[in-house]
Amino acid sequence: MSEELRPGTGEAGAAQPGAGVPPAGPADELVDAARAEAATLEGELEVLQAALARLEEGSYGRCEICGAALDDALLEADPAAARCPAHASS
């Protein structure tokens, strides 16, 4: 067990767990929020990259399950859509 001097006494004592570690504060909350936002953006990027890959291979606008053409309104609402309404939850 490590020993530290007790503040103001000059006496040695057992180190307390977490001693010297500041409590979480606003900066930690900002870091956590930034990490969550980064994870969300990474997920969105993956979806968009998959849509671009489908565009390049010629399958964009078709359901990746059954091959049916996706409705223009669906693609307008979600340009990265990859499944028809029948397979959207699959």
Side-chain angles (χ1 to χ4, degrees), residues 47 50-51 54 57 59-70 80-85 87-90:
V47 168
R54 289 191 307 277
E57 68 186 24
S59 63
Y60 180 81
R62 299 212 158 269
C63 176
E64 66 184 3
I65 303 295
C66 68
L70 300 180
R83 296 181 179 180
C84 67
H87 294 110
S89 62
S90 299

Side-chain angles (χ1 to χ4, degrees), residues 13-86:
Q16 298 294 318
V21 176
D28 295 315
E29 292 171 10
L30 287 173
V31 168
D32 290 343
R35 286 184 178 143
E37 179 69 13
T40 298
L41 292 173
E42 286 173 357
E44 290 176 7
L45 179 60
E46 288 176 12
V47 168
L48 293 174
Q49 287 174 330
L52 286 171
R54 289 191 307 277
L55 186 63
E56 290 174 2
E57 68 186 24
S59 63
Y60 180 81
R62 299 212 158 269
C63 176
E64 66 184 3
I65 303 295
C66 68
L70 300 180
D71 187 61
D72 288 341
L74 174 63
L75 290 171
E76 187 174 326
D78 181 8
R83 296 181 179 180
C84 67

